[in-house]
Amino acid sequence: MKKSKLKIMLILSVFLALAMILCIFIFKNPKDKQEYNIDKKEAKILEIENKKIYDISSSISKKGVTTKIKNISADPVRDIIIDYVELDKDNKKLSNKQIPVDITLKKNEKALVSIIPAEYTETIDITGYRYKKEDYDIKVDLDNDEVAATKEDKKENEKIDSSEKYEILNVDNLIQMDKTNYKLEIKNKSDKNIGNIILKTAEKNQYGEYVSVTDISANTTLEAKGNIKMILSSSNENNKLEIVGYTYDDIGSKINIDVDLKANSADVVKN
């Protein structure tokens, strides 16, 4: 009988020890920071035209250099950040830097990325890039041929959702008036009063590459089923204007909505 009790106590002790180890593991690896394996080939979603930009010494180059990126994956790619290193004439590292790409790219779409070099920079070496996919932050390290994915750390008042129920503005009737000017009538299709409306407008050059993204405020509150008219302008007569998203405040629900029309997603923040 004593041996039976001893055996039971021993088993309970083992289970208790395992439970403690499991608790420690969970605390050290919270869900919002959990890493997971991702296929290397699948993660490499960008084609970069110039990974290294040399001879940044002329006054023209000092004003800015460019490279082109292309989405070679099947899905839209959002929140792209390019990682790069600046090197001097002796090939010594001056700094590590990042540059965000403000446009979501669908399959085979391209963007022209402009970089302003720091003083004494002779070479720019693009070392990798980052982007968001579903609830994960993806990092691609081109130098070491490595990829990593980390669960996105969202605040309690934030969430990412399908944009379908949040696309309450009709902004697909952009009409070109002349070489650079466009007119747009924005209609509120919902029964909600909305404010703080900001349009995200993108410009495409003659080669079909996105060259810039600009936020333009409507400067008005739009009542339910109401509409407003706006005049928008492109910076160059060779560029075409496109509405790629918008943000607004749902006044009644006290939430801010950021609609990405290219990714068909919405970032929702409770105020």
Side-chain angles (χ1 to χ4, degrees):
M1 192 73 177
K2 289 183 178 180
K3 288 183 178 180
S4 178
K5 287 184 178 180
L6 184 62
K7 188 176 181 180
I8 291 171
M9 290 180 64
L10 183 61
I11 292 172
L12 289 173
S13 299
V14 171
F15 273 113
L16 183 60
L18 289 173
M20 290 177 66
I21 293 170
L22 182 61
C23 288
I24 292 170
F25 178 81
I26 291 172
F27 277 110
K28 286 187 176 182
N29 298 273
K31 188 177 179 182
D32 60 356
K33 289 294 184 180
Q34 182 181 357
E35 294 191 6
Y36 79 112
N37 293 326
I38 184 170
D39 181 76
K40 189 183 296 185
K41 186 177 180 180
E42 179 187 336
K44 293 181 178 179
I45 49 82
L46 289 185
E47 181 179 275
I48 302 175
E49 185 178 80
N50 295 316
K51 293 187 180 69
K52 280 197 174 184
I53 306 171
Y54 299 97
D55 302 323
I56 306 174
S57 55
S58 68
S59 59
I60 296 176
S61 295
K62 279 294 183 183
K63 292 179 181 178
V65 295
T66 60
T67 189
K68 297 176 185 178
I69 62 172
K70 176 183 177 181
N71 176 16
I72 57 175
S73 73
D75 300 319
V77 180
R78 66 184 182 93
D79 298 322
I80 302 168
I81 296 175
I82 305 296
D83 296 322
Y84 67 95
V85 174
E86 293 181 313
L87 306 171
D88 65 13
K89 63 180 181 179
D90 298 318
N91 217 37
K92 292 181 180 178
K93 184 166 70 174
L94 296 171
S95 62
N96 292 308
K97 289 190 175 180
Q98 298 178 337
I99 184 166
V101 180
D102 293 331
I103 187 75
T104 294
L105 296 179
K106 292 184 177 180
K107 182 180 180 180
N108 293 327
E109 287 187 333
K110 298 179 181 179
L112 195 66
V113 181
S114 298
I115 300 173
I116 306 298
E119 193 174 4
Y120 306 117
T121 299
E122 190 65 21
T123 301
I124 286 177
D125 181 11
I126 295 176
T127 57
Y129 54 90
R130 306 153 194 259
Y131 61 96
K132 292 182 180 179
K133 184 175 182 180
E134 298 175 353
D135 293 332
Y136 292 93
D137 294 313
I138 313 295
K139 179 180 179 182
V140 177
D141 184 338
L142 296 174
D143 278 358
N144 299 307
D145 193 27
E146 295 176 351
V147 300
T150 309
K151 187 78 171 180
E152 190 177 0
D153 188 7
K154 300 293 289 183
K155 297 179 181 178
E156 288 186 5
N157 65 333
E158 297 178 349
K159 69 173 181 175
I160 298 175
D161 206 345
S162 168
S163 65
E164 184 177 0
K165 64 181 178 181
Y166 299 107
E167 289 184 28
I168 64 174
L169 295 182
N170 183 0
V171 294
D172 57 0
N173 52 351
L174 187 68
I175 299 174
Q176 188 167 0
M177 300 165 57
D178 52 41
K179 290 183 178 180
T180 59
N181 295 310
Y182 297 73
K183 63 180 180 179
L184 173 68
E185 183 177 11
I186 304 173
K187 295 182 180 179
N188 180 1
K189 300 180 290 184
S190 75
D191 295 319
K192 302 176 180 180
N193 294 334
I194 59 175
N196 195 26
I197 302 167
I198 299 175
L199 298 181
K200 181 170 283 190
T201 64
E203 292 188 38
K204 265 186 178 179
N205 64 18
Q206 56 190 326
Y207 306 110
E209 302 157 348
Y210 286 103
V211 294
S212 66
V213 177
T214 306
D215 290 340
I216 300 176
S217 175
N219 293 318
T220 187
T221 296
L222 192 53
E223 295 182 351
K225 305 298 183 181
N227 64 82
I228 55 172
K229 294 180 180 180
M230 295 181 67
I231 300 295
L232 308 175
S233 300
S234 64
S235 62
N236 187 303
E237 64 179 40
N238 293 319
N239 294 346
K240 296 295 183 181
L241 211 61
E242 181 181 332
I243 308 297
V244 295
Y246 53 84
T247 67
Y248 63 90
D249 287 338
D250 182 333
I251 298 172
S253 301
K254 296 183 178 179
I255 56 176
N256 176 261
I257 314 294
D258 186 347
V259 175
D260 187 333
L261 295 172
K262 294 175 68 62
N264 298 121
S265 66
D267 289 352
V268 182
V269 180
K270 292 183 179 180
N271 297 324

